[in-house]
Amino acid sequence: MKKIEAIIKPFRLEEVKNALQEIGVSGMTVTEVKGFGRQKGHTEIYRGAEYVVEFVPKLKMEVTVAADTVPVVVETILTSARTGKIGDGKIFVYDVDEVVRIRTGERGREAL
Amino acid sequence: MKKIEAIIKPFRLEEVKNALQEIGVSGMTVTEVKGFGRQKGHTEIYRGAEYVVEFVPKLKMEVTVAADTVPVVVETILTSARTGKIGDGKIFVYDVDEVVRIRTGERGREAL
Amino acid sequence: MKKIEAIIKPFRLEEVKNALQEIGVSGMTVTEVKGFGRQKGHTEIYRGAEYVVEFVPKLKMEVTVAADTVPVVVETILTSARTGKIGDGKIFVYDVDEVVRIRTGERGREAL
Amino acid sequence: MMRFATKKRPLILFIIAICLIAAANGAVGLAEDSAAPLAQESAAAAGGSDVPTAAEVQKNLDFVWTMVAAFLVFFMQAGFAMVESGFTRAKNAVNIMMKNLMDFSVGSIAFLLLGFGLMFGTSPTGWFGTDGFLLSDFAKDADKWLYAFWMFQVVFAATAATIVSGAMAERTKFSAYLIYSAVITALIYPVFGSWAWGSLHHGNGWLEKLGFIDFAGSTVVHSVGGWAALWGAVMLGPRMGRYEKDGKVMAIPGHNIPMAALGVFILWFGWFGFNPGSTTAGNADIARIAVNTNLAAAAGAIASLIASWGIFRKPDGAMALNGVLAGLVAITSPCATVTPMASVYIGAIAGVVVVLSVLFFDRIRIDDPVGAISVHGVCGALGTLLAAVFHEEGFTMARLGVQALGVASAFAWVSVTAGFLFFLIKKTVGLRVSEEEEMDGLDYHEHGNTAYPNFQLIEKR
Amino acid sequence: MMRFATKKRPLILFIIAICLIAAANGAVGLAEDSAAPLAQESAAAAGGSDVPTAAEVQKNLDFVWTMVAAFLVFFMQAGFAMVESGFTRAKNAVNIMMKNLMDFSVGSIAFLLLGFGLMFGTSPTGWFGTDGFLLSDFAKDADKWLYAFWMFQVVFAATAATIVSGAMAERTKFSAYLIYSAVITALIYPVFGSWAWGSLHHGNGWLEKLGFIDFAGSTVVHSVGGWAALWGAVMLGPRMGRYEKDGKVMAIPGHNIPMAALGVFILWFGWFGFNPGSTTAGNADIARIAVNTNLAAAAGAIASLIASWGIFRKPDGAMALNGVLAGLVAITSPCATVTPMASVYIGAIAGVVVVLSVLFFDRIRIDDPVGAISVHGVCGALGTLLAAVFHEEGFTMARLGVQALGVASAFAWVSVTAGFLFFLIKKTVGLRVSEEEEMDGLDYHEHGNTAYPNFQLIEKR
Amino acid sequence: MMRFATKKRPLILFIIAICLIAAANGAVGLAEDSAAPLAQESAAAAGGSDVPTAAEVQKNLDFVWTMVAAFLVFFMQAGFAMVESGFTRAKNAVNIMMKNLMDFSVGSIAFLLLGFGLMFGTSPTGWFGTDGFLLSDFAKDADKWLYAFWMFQVVFAATAATIVSGAMAERTKFSAYLIYSAVITALIYPVFGSWAWGSLHHGNGWLEKLGFIDFAGSTVVHSVGGWAALWGAVMLGPRMGRYEKDGKVMAIPGHNIPMAALGVFILWFGWFGFNPGSTTAGNADIARIAVNTNLAAAAGAIASLIASWGIFRKPDGAMALNGVLAGLVAITSPCATVTPMASVYIGAIAGVVVVLSVLFFDRIRIDDPVGAISVHGVCGALGTLLAAVFHEEGFTMARLGVQALGVASAFAWVSVTAGFLFFLIKKTVGLRVSEEEEMDGLDYHEHGNTAYPNFQLIEKR
Ligand SMILES: Nc1ncnc2c1ncn2[C@@H]1O[C@H](COP(=O)(O)OP(=O)(O)O)[C@@H](O)[C@H]1O
Ligand SMILES: Nc1ncnc2c1ncn2[C@@H]1O[C@H](COP(=O)(O)OP(=O)(O)O)[C@@H](O)[C@H]1O
Ligand SMILES: Nc1ncnc2c1ncn2[C@@H]1O[C@H](COP(=O)(O)OP(=O)(O)O)[C@@H](O)[C@H]1O
């Protein structure tokens, strides 16, 4: 099993989520994160002093799926998350040893 | 070494943490996350308009442990996090190449 | 490719980020987390009743880099995040199967 | 939207109904006051077209002062809402706002229909009023002062009810809350009120006849509210996770201390209407009452800060806030009959007592999220007794006796009536929400709302 | 800092400029009031050194009452700011605070320069005032009452403008906002005001001559603001993501409901200055007006709670808050000419109507984030009509006709002028921010600020 | 709980102690006012049973007005708390609330014991008062006006102290804070006050004899507070991370701008008590003072918005808020002796000056988290000078000279005394918290509390 971790722009969440549902992804976990990369932060002013907000708000989306479905899931995220502007984010794929559903104790594919 | 990542219901945190301490887990990291899965969100009303809150608040708990202790840790989480209701969450196990304790620079088992 | 995940003390963020930039790390993702470990939480008082705040605020910093640069990155984090006090945190290294840049679809090293 | 559509027809009928009842009542309207001069005219009048006497002007001044004071007391509702919500959790904030808004709204109507008459109507027995419901006295006396007096009294009545909500916060059913706050404003508060204050209008209570001193209501308003809060908290039981089996007391910190502090500032501000306004006359007496009120509040804050510093080794913010309120509640009864120095002592004593009282109720496992029982019940009783101890004409055992009798009768009356009320509600609509609702928060289950949708909250219990 | 340095020289010049204009004006200053007694003296005076007549004292009382009422009305600005910001998203909170602060500031100056004269200057035609700009009447009449009256009127004028900002929240350009709020306070509001209230000072409006009743401004202030809000919202269009193609209405929940509730409490409090204060005379009439105001607000809250409970199966918090405001707006016109019972009915009707109205405007896809159109526009008109229906001297078709005429003329006047104003702004400076600015929030793009930098916000849309 | 138990016995003793001191004082109480008529009676009286003269009614009106004004000024404490806490970080919010609550509480007692006497007691030298401590003048004069006057003065005294806390926020020890705020209210403020205002009661200051104009305290209250703030900020040094070695100024944004904006609205509201109330007489003069106050605030907001727009290319919210306060502080001295037009100029000048001043103090690396030095110190001095420049009787060099003397003497007096005070504290209890405490936030280390336990905060520095 593989975990697909995507760092996306917050306002794309709906689109990505819906796209994943359509291809049958049963679940996912989302985290509020701050990103740092090519997309630079911005400068704010507060009472005469400037300060740079270097980190950009992003969402981290984690989806664990069966290894064979990775390509299609990645493809789906790519198309649904893309705006074409700097800062669209990244997708990381990791290997997952094991998955267990807490409620039932099911393991592997059944647990997803 | 292995990382055990558990998505649990927020109010189970105390129980799970205590259970893990009892079996000698020395540390863990917890993150506020939003989950999407079989457990559906709920509908709220705001000034006459309805809106669906699709994502359910969850906690992500990360514990890195020596490979041999994985089964017992997983078992402990299973029993302490389980309520039997949909949305109890999942446990994911990943492989960890290396662990370093920042304070001392210790590596591997010693770092935990 | 490898993912380096560091749990650090929040107020070290600036230093670590700058240090990583200097060695040419192009991007990273930061998450607010709560840590539990050797560094104990503290006791607060509220209207006569005490309560223990067991979890300590930490930041999780994730950096994905080419495998060969792992040692230098880890070293950089170690030196920039270290205060020498309990609770300095940990560094975890994971294997990454694949990286994709959403904007361009580039994969692997190019995507970083 | 569609599924709503169907349900709107009844509302149209509802509006028509209101209009019909209103029409039926139209006559009343006429009778009540057949020629209220338009203000423009009267403004002109005041401008000098006809010459007013000094006595008339003084009367007008009494109107102005009493109204301003009433507005300040009204504003205390905002203070109570801020304190209660600041001292409780984010997941219940909408519910608490609604409760504080509705208890005043429901209370205003309940006091119009029943409360005022029971409290200030002619009272043959001395135990409750029998007329003057629906502001009907105006038809009789044709004295516009009735409106000023009613306005000042309705904001007091609502205060008693709102005190209760703090002690019962985070676990009470909204519907149950609406019922009991209506009953408190319509029955429990007014009947006791008629014993002590009836003679301010048409009544004459048995207690005031004995010389009971409760200038602005340490007992009549605060203790009554506080003791109702006590029985409510007892009947409800503590919030989940507040007291552990092993006897440990778990703190459940309030979600917004600055909000609670703002509430205390608003209450302090409003109390300047509550105490000095109780002269219901614009005269020289209001000044010393204001000074006394302020000094007691200040002394209460300092004393409770010292006390908490001594006990907990830290100057606990929340306790200092309670200390201010304790001082204010305690001075409410004696504020017109003690010296400024005495007010300092009264406030200081209350400030220490409230800290001990909060610890005490925690020890006997009565869960009062905001400390309403200690602040209003205990310090209300304390202040009423200290009114005798520090009376500027000197201390007399007789006076203390009467005060004690008043304190005791308030406790007895409220315990019986409120106890019964909560029991009844518990057996019928139910008093407490389900465990699941309590865990998820009342905002979602009771109102389908969220207080802070744009903020990442810390989800624990 | 360096890049700022260069830009400070002009400011020094700016200050010097102010001083020069001021100098030029110095004469005016002299002429205007050549010997204002220092208050210390007059305090002594009041102390009894010279003996005042009862009529003089009554006049002083009118000053005191009118000022206190004006201060309460001013404080409503804080209430509007809290309600508007609580009902919108965190990313626009700074912008909303700035708008509410600046509309009052700009409005005060605009009313000084133009508004007051247009509204209360001598009005040969009955359609607008022609003198009394810049408080110049004092030179003429040397009557200090002018200042009291002006102070009371300026806080009213600012209210009309601030109503608009709620309906146009979260998507309006800050510069455009400054322009239209100046125009509303300088022209649109005063001209209509002169029709209904001009005779309170030097004017005489055509509408008041017909016997139009609008005691405290259900129409003059609230409907005028509400209809301007309507056209503003129409011209702007809805917020992104508010209405989906498939016709679904998407809620955009406000970011801080307790803040909105505090705002409603502050507004309720301030309304006690708005309505009773409109006597601009400290006399016995203020009491019943206060009672009526309070009962209508309470009834409005209850009615809208019931209505929302019936329609949505939950007692929606935000709706109850709108219900209070609906009751207050509706009673504003009739508060001096109906009985307390009638006030209950008026409030209750408004409470139901506001719920239906909010649903209606959502259905026709006019996006009003805070419900300003329904609360101020619709319920303002409603209250003006009900003033005839429930008039204590009984219902007459004639009176209803005049009221209806007033309501209609307000709608017509505002639709034409505000419609044109917004159209003009749209074609010139532009009315709406870019999609990107709306998505990121106005705080960053318009002000370079963040409202809650220490809080982890939930980033979605 | 157990470890608390032991520490409660001393408290019981503490209470008993209070009672004993009180008993000893009981006599005083008797002497002071042996028959305060119960308000009920006096209400009856006012009702007409005995006939008051117009002069008596005017006196009563002065009481009512002065008390209402005092209450409004008290409410400013809430405004200061909101502004200070909104402009600082979440980790210090509880500490800031406690400071604002305690400085008023401690200040009230300190002013009772020492301050009032020093400020208004008979002053043979003209440099400080020598009697009238503990409200003892009542025994002498038996004039209830003393209480009204004291109440109005105590809220002013507390304002001076609270100003300081803003400039010293986020790094000052709580214990040190309590000490210096007591000293400021007991000594530093009153002594200067006696120079300028002593003759309002029994004193006669050297400065007022020269004709120094400071109607409501631009210098007496605001500059005094502002200069104390200056020396406090200097002695403390800047917050960690505020100024980098390379000379860069790092902004430390406030955690809740809407809260700060609410604070500014509350302060504006309270200022209507501060300035018009300073007549301490209910008469026609209050109206123009209110108008002037309002126009200066509005002009200040607009001017600072323009200035910040010009300098930073964005209309900075926080600066506009400072602009309002700058205008209010500047008009406080001249409000009774200038025309409304002049008030607009004064406010506008202050609005620009405050922006430049904030930038200036940042450049010289004096860290003032809320801008208290610029708003109260600089604009207080500015307003005092402009009182001469814009005096309605025309500008005279002589008058300007006296004003300048007053401004200079305030700066000198406060610099010496406050400078010495802070130095002493630094050398004894210590003025500043440890680096660790500053980093973690004062809430936890000083109070063991957390302001927002249910919110996920952004942990950085
Ligand atoms: N090496 C990396 N490791 C982890 N996260 C990264 C890395 N590089 C970028 N990111 C995340 O991806 C986000 C977008 O990357 P960025 O370089 O800004 O734009 P783009 O995705 O177009 O290359 C960043 O904000 C950060 O959260
Ligand atoms: N494929 C997945 N990848 C990552 N997280 C998942 C996945 N499926 C479920 N989750 C997480 O687990 C939580 C619980 O899953 P859910 O299907 O709702 O109930 P259950 O755990 O009983 O199957 C979800 O809220 C989500 O956070
Ligand atoms: N086994 C673990 N798995 C995951 N995170 C851990 C683990 N042990 C510690 N951590 C994280 O590292 C942080 C610091 O560890 P701690 O034991 O407190 O101090 P130190 O890093 O000096 O050993 C903890 O707060 C927690 O967030």
Side-chain angles (χ1 to χ4, degrees), chain C residues 34 43-55, chain D residues 87 251-254 312 316 318-319 322 359 369-371:
Chain C
K34 302 246 179 304
T43 306
E44 298 194 356
I45 298 157
Y46 178 73
R47 315 196 58 256
E50 292 182 317
Y51 66 103
V52 187
V53 180
E54 284 174 306
F55 287 88
Chain D
F87 276 169
I252 299 181
F312 320 128
D316 180 0
M319 276 295 189
N322 276 160
L359 294 176
V370 305

Side-chain angles (χ1 to χ4, degrees), chain C residues 61-79:
Chain C
M61 185 178 250
E62 289 163 293
V63 196
T64 303
V65 295
D68 49 11
T69 62
V70 168
V72 52
V73 172
V74 168
E75 208 36 62
T76 310
I77 295 176
L78 275 178
T79 48

Side-chain angles (χ1 to χ4, degrees), chain B residues 25-29 62-65 101-103 111-112, chain C residues 7 34-39 56 58 85-90 92:
Chain B
V25 171
S26 60
M28 65 195 76
T29 302
E62 289 163 294
V63 197
T64 304
V65 295
R101 165 174 287 125
I102 291 171
R103 173 166 45 98
L112 290 180
Chain C
I7 309 291
K34 302 246 179 304
F36 178 80
R38 274 167 196 63
Q39 181 194 2
V56 186
K58 300 279 173 189
K85 296 213 200 66
I86 282 186
D88 272 355
K90 312 252 190 265
F92 304 104

Side-chain angles (χ1 to χ4, degrees), chain A residues 28-31, chain B residues 32-36 55-58, chain D residues 456, chain E residues 458:
Chain A
M28 64 195 77
T29 302
V30 177
T31 314
Chain B
E32 309 275 338
V33 298
K34 302 247 176 308
F36 177 80
F55 287 88
V56 187
K58 301 278 173 189
Chain D
Q456 171 71 61
Chain E
I458 293 177

Side-chain angles (χ1 to χ4, degrees), chain A residues 27-29 62 64 101 103, chain B residues 7 35-36 38-39 87 89-90:
Chain A
M28 64 195 77
T29 302
E62 290 164 292
T64 303
R101 167 174 285 125
R103 174 166 43 99
Chain B
I7 309 291
F36 177 80
R38 274 169 196 60
Q39 182 194 3
K90 315 252 189 263

Side-chain angles (χ1 to χ4, degrees), chain D residues 68-84:
Chain D
V68 170
F71 305 159
L72 288 172
V73 178
F74 164 80
F75 196 42
M76 290 172 68
Q77 293 290 326
F80 281 113
M82 295 289 110
V83 170
E84 181 177 345

